[in-house]
Every structure is written in C-alpha cells, then in structure tokens.
Amino acid sequence: MKFQYLLLLLALGLTACNQEEYAFGDIRAPRNLQIEATVVGQTADTPNGDGSGVVIFTATAEDAITYKFVFSDGTQEVAPSGQLTKRFTQVGVQNYEVTVVASGTGGVATTATTEVTVESTFSDAEALRLLTGDGTKTWYWAADEPGQLGVGQNDGDATKNYFANYYQAAPFEKDGAGESQCLYEDELVFSRQGDQLYYELNNFGLTYFNAAYQDVAGGSQGYDFCYEFDVKDEPQLVTLSPSESVVAANGIPGQTRGTVLNFTDGGFMSYYIGTSRYEILSLTENRLVVRAVQGNNAGLAWYHIFTSTKPVQGGGGEEPEFNQLVWADEFDGTALADTSWSYNTGTGTDGWGNNESQYYTNRPENISVSDGTLKITAQRENYRGSDFTSSRIVTEDKFEFTYGRIEIRAKLPSGGGTWPALWMLGADYQTNTWPACGEIDIMEHVGNQQNRVFSSLHFPGNSGGNAVTESTVVETASTEFHVYKAIWSENTIRFYVDDNLYHTFSNRAGLPFNKDFFLIFNVAMGGNFGGNIDADFQQSTMEVDYVRVYQ
C-alpha cells in the first residue's frame, strides 16, 4: 500500500510540474542589452549639451518586454518602448549613473549601467533678488493668512494640484497650543553671495515635526509636535532648478513659477516633512508660496506661505482701525448718482485699453440701477466700429481718498472673454503717467478662468503682466454675491473675499500707494487679460449691491 501511495504522489507531482511548466511557457532573460544616450545640443564646442540638461535615452534588448531607467539623482522612469527623454536639473556640469532594467517573460530581467555627463544652466535671477532683497532677507510664516500651512493631493489632476484642497490652517491656528506654537517663531533667512543663494533656519531650539517623522527628533507623541531639534548654525547652499512637478506639467499660467529651491545638508523650510526640495508657486517682494511633496508619501503635497513682515496677532495696534463710514453708494435708486460717478466712454484709443474689444457707453442697455443694484452689461453688438459694448464708471474728481477699508458686494458676469474689474487708480494719473500713478485692483475676474478672482498692484517695475498679483477660488463668483474688500494703510494693502484674507502687500514710502486714488467699475471684453471671447457669447451682467469706504 505504501508503495502504491508513493507512486500516486509521484504521478500527481509530475502532473503538477507539467501543468506549471505549461502555464509559464518559454522563460527567457533579455539578451544583448544596449543603452544609447544622446545629450541634446552636444557639439564639439558644447560637449556637455546646450545647458538644458536634456538627454535622450534609447535602450534595446532581445526578448525584452519593458524597460525601467534608474538614475543616480534618485529618480526612475518606466519606458515600455525603451525610449525616454530625461531632463537633469542639478545646476552645473554633472555626472550621472544610469541603470536600465530590461524585463522579459516570467519576470526575469537583465541590467546594464552607463554614465552621462550633462550641463544644466538654469537660473532665476529675479527669484534670487526677491528672496534676498538688498543681500539678506528674513521670512516668517504668514500666520495671519488662511492656508499659511496646508496640504493637498499630488497626482495627475490639473484642477487640484496647485492648492491645499485637503486642509488649510486658519489664521494663527498654530498659536493655539504649545504643541505647535514654535512654528510661527521660526525665521528663514536667505542671503546671497554673488550668484550663490544661501539659507539659514533660526528655529530657536524647536521644530514643528510632521507626525510621520517624529522618530527623526526622537519623539513619540503620535501627532504633529514641536520637538527639540538642532539645525545647522551656518548658512547652507541652495541651488535653483527647473520644476518638473505635476503643477509645472499642467502648464496653467499663474500656478507655478517653475523654479525649485534645493536645500543642501538636509535643509528644510521650518515644518519638517522629510524633503529638501520646494517648488516656488508665487514670489513677490513680501510674499512667498511654496509647494513640497512629503518625503515618505508621494501622494501628499504641502503648501507654505511666508511673508517678509512678521504678522502680529490682533494687529499689535500697529494698523489703524477703519470703522467710520465716509462714503458709500447703496444703489437704491433708479439712476446712477451723478454727484458720485462719471462715465468713461469710447474705446481703448480714448486713453486706456489693453487690446480690449468693447466700446464703453452710458446707455441703459449697458448700465442701469434697479432693484437695489448697479448693473453693468457687456453685450455683443456692432457699435461704432466695435463688436461689443459695455460700461465703465469712475469717481474721479468726485470722491478721491487715501487709505481706508473698501468693501464692494458684487456678483460677477460669466462667459469666455468677460473681464470685470473693481479697482482704483492714482488720482494724479494725468500728470504722473501710469504705472507711476499706481493701480490697486481690488477684484478682477476673467470668464476664461471661471471662479478664480485676482487682486493686483501695478507700479513702476511691476506693471502689466509683471504686476504683484495673487488669486483665490470663489466657487459661486457668478451665481452669488460676495464681498470683495481691500484694507489699505501706509503699512500694508490686504485683499479679502468674504473676510477671507488671501493677499497681503507691504506698502512703504516711495511707492505710489500713499496718496489719493479714485474708484473704477467696468466690464471689459477680451484684451490682454480677458483673452479669447467665446463665439457663443451674447451678453452677461455684473451686479453691484453696494460700495462702502471706511476711514
């Protein structure tokens, strides 16, 4: 019996082996793996390429199904065809080791390694200047801004990869408990020596750690916490490189500067999330917004907002209180008050214009007051050589003021090409030509970026497309009324939507924002900012419920 039993087991084993061999088929490791690397722009005069850092790789092998490229800069890519274009971002002439893994049937693989020498000459001189000012500049957390610390997704969704859609800290939120108070104390000091950028973090002995990295500080709280932590006590080199993130790949203007800060020696920007690479989304004289992917979780992107003026909770008594109503229009009548407003009529050739397409009129078809709101309507019609009409009104010579709180409750038009604006212009513009006179845009919106509103400041060196601009998303901008507010003092100009602060500008002597301005309301069509006009557009209206100025 035992012998028969053993024969049975042997037969079953042979059957199983035959079936297993049949399932796998012919297993072959890839053979004759070859790697070809072409450095873009390589000539006898430029042996390391044209400075773009781009290299085109071609891997070939017999019996290979797919290829994986592993680079010594810490990145890797899968290329089923064996062809891959890679941009190396470390500035200067660098040597990189490239390993190719060619996979065949049954999971067997063959590897080969080569080296490339390539040069990257990426630079961002303006970022260097803005980060360091006259040579050294200290940055602080913009603790008074919503979302000064936030986190969002990191994937291929172009609509959600440039802002903290998972969580945004409320103003001064981290000041509420000892476990996080150290965050707002940090000083981030950038300095420059020639064309070199350096960085030093003054953490005063404590660093706010993401819970996933508490072991680095020897902590055990299990949540984000301020731990004792020693940082470098001397400036560390920071290199700049072009961004290759999903945000940069989306190619949507205004979402990223396209520059990455690479901190050496384990440097990091105050909140410890296990990375030394931070992508600059926005950078002005007084505001810095960066995005960084968490070191141990590629699905999370963190957002930090810094300012060059340290915020003080409650304002520290430094900012004036603007509580006295000095001028208002509630639009409760049946006509525009000529004691407060005048019309600008005509086209851009009459003294303004940004290649816009409308003709401004004072006709009731384009501007009216009824049911408690001012209505400015842009519409398609052939009028005096223009394809569109609209209206533009001003308080010039009737109400002009310096400093105050301006509140405007409005519902915006929609449609590709619409460009409504609620803004102010320096009253001396006729003798002090724009941009020297200054411009404060409390709210601008373009239908081609529906639900995104902008605030901007134009002045010498920062005009036109180079204005100091920030934006925020207002999901119901064209379907509901919202309050667009600016608080303007000799120290700052702050912009809000429904009491949510999203843009702070440091005002100072020497800028044109310390004298009288007047108000302008208009709806433009097309132009440099409005963009292409939808072929199906017929008309749309901006409604203003009220405008109030407090001093």
Side-chain angles (χ1 to χ4, degrees), residues 49-353:
D50 59 8
S52 66
V54 175
V55 181
I56 301 171
F57 292 96
T58 301
T60 58
E62 299 175 31
D63 301 320
I65 296 175
T66 189
Y67 303 84
K68 180 169 72 172
F69 290 78
V70 182
F71 302 98
S72 59
D73 66 356
T75 63
Q76 57 183 1
E77 295 283 347
V78 174
S81 68
Q83 293 186 324
L84 178 71
T85 299
K86 161 76 173 176
R87 179 168 68 176
F88 294 93
T89 58
Q90 189 171 351
V91 176
V93 177
Q94 308 291 341
N95 294 315
Y96 299 95
E97 186 176 271
V98 183
T99 299
V100 175
V101 182
S103 298
T105 57
V108 294
T110 301
T111 64
T113 300
T114 188
E115 288 188 352
V116 294
T117 302
V118 61
E119 181 179 17
S120 174
T121 57
F122 177 84
S123 65
D124 188 340
E126 183 184 49
L128 187 66
R129 177 185 64 80
L130 291 171
L131 285 168
T132 61
D134 293 331
T136 299
K137 183 185 287 188
T138 301
W139 295 84
Y140 310 90
W141 282 93
D144 55 347
E145 283 202 44
Q148 84 281 157
L149 175 66
V151 66
Q153 66 199 67
N154 183 50
D155 55 26
D157 188 343
T159 65
K160 296 179 181 178
N161 270 273
Y162 62 93
F163 67 101
N165 62 315
Y166 288 168
Y167 158 76
Q168 296 185 22
F172 292 102
E173 178 181 318
K174 300 305 176 184
D175 250 355
E179 66 198 34
S180 59
Q181 282 180 340
C182 70
L183 184 70
Y184 295 150
E185 296 302 317
D186 284 355
E187 298 176 349
L188 293 79
V189 183
F190 285 93
S191 60
R192 68 176 183 267
Q193 298 178 20
D195 293 331
Q196 297 291 331
L197 178 64
Y198 291 89
Y199 166 79
E200 184 176 1
L201 172 63
N202 296 329
N203 74 338
F204 302 98
L206 295 172
T207 282
Y208 191 45
F209 272 80
N210 183 282
Y213 286 95
Q214 62 183 16
D215 291 346
V216 175
S220 58
Q221 294 293 335
Y223 49 86
D224 288 13
F225 194 83
C226 287
Y227 293 108
E228 292 186 3
F229 189 68
D230 292 331
V231 295
K232 298 285 184 180
D233 57 1
E234 57 185 22
Q236 303 161 254
L237 179 67
V238 181
T239 62
L240 305 182
S241 63
S243 172
E244 292 186 304
S245 74
V246 62
V247 184
N250 289 337
I252 301 177
Q255 289 188 2
T256 180
R257 186 181 182 88
T259 297
V260 173
L261 298 169
N262 303 282
F263 294 82
T264 59
D265 297 326
F268 59 98
M269 297 186 77
S270 180
Y271 176 53
Y272 198 101
I273 55 173
T275 187
S276 294
R277 289 174 54 84
Y278 295 80
E279 178 178 7
I280 300 176
L281 298 188
S282 175
L283 176 60
T284 66
E285 293 280 356
N286 69 304
R287 191 170 183 268
L288 168 64
V289 184
V290 298
R291 179 184 191 269
V293 177
Q294 184 166 316
N296 62 355
N297 188 343
L300 294 180
W302 287 90
Y303 297 81
H304 305 345
I305 304 176
F306 301 101
T307 176
S308 58
T309 303
K310 188 173 183 178
V312 178
Q313 192 163 9
E318 298 178 3
E319 289 293 335
E321 293 185 6
F322 299 122
N323 294 322
Q324 181 180 353
L325 183 65
V326 297
W327 183 89
D329 196 333
E330 303 292 329
F331 302 111
D332 287 334
T334 58
L336 195 67
D338 58 11
T339 55
S340 297
W341 301 94
S342 301
Y343 298 93
N344 285 158
T345 59
T347 65
T349 58
D350 295 296
W352 62 85

Side-chain angles (χ1 to χ4, degrees), residues 397-448:
D397 295 329
K398 297 183 177 182
F399 176 65
E400 299 172 351
F401 65 104
T402 304
Y403 308 142
R405 170 163 54 98
I406 307 98
E407 295 186 358
I408 307 167
R409 186 170 185 265
K411 182 168 63 174
L412 309 182
S414 62
T418 56
W419 178 6
L422 307 168
W423 55 294
M424 301 193 296
L425 187 67
D428 60 350
Y429 74 97
Q430 293 186 359
T431 56
N432 194 18
T433 307
W434 187 93
C437 63
E439 176 180 325
I440 303 172
D441 298 326
I442 301 170
M443 187 291 307
E444 287 184 288
H445 175 266
V446 289
N448 286 315

Side-chain angles (χ1 to χ4, degrees), residues 339-383:
T339 55
S340 297
W341 301 94
S342 301
Y343 298 93
N344 285 158
T345 59
T347 65
T349 58
D350 295 296
W352 62 85
N354 299 277
N355 297 312
E356 301 160 21
S357 299
Q358 79 288 332
Y359 191 104
Y360 286 129
T361 84
N362 59 1
R363 304 177 306 157
E365 292 92 333
N366 297 117
I367 187 163
S368 62
V369 176
S370 63
D371 302 321
T373 66
L374 165 72
K375 299 172 178 65
I376 298 179
T377 300
Q379 58 184 333
R380 182 186 295 272
E381 63 173 319
N382 189 286
Y383 186 86

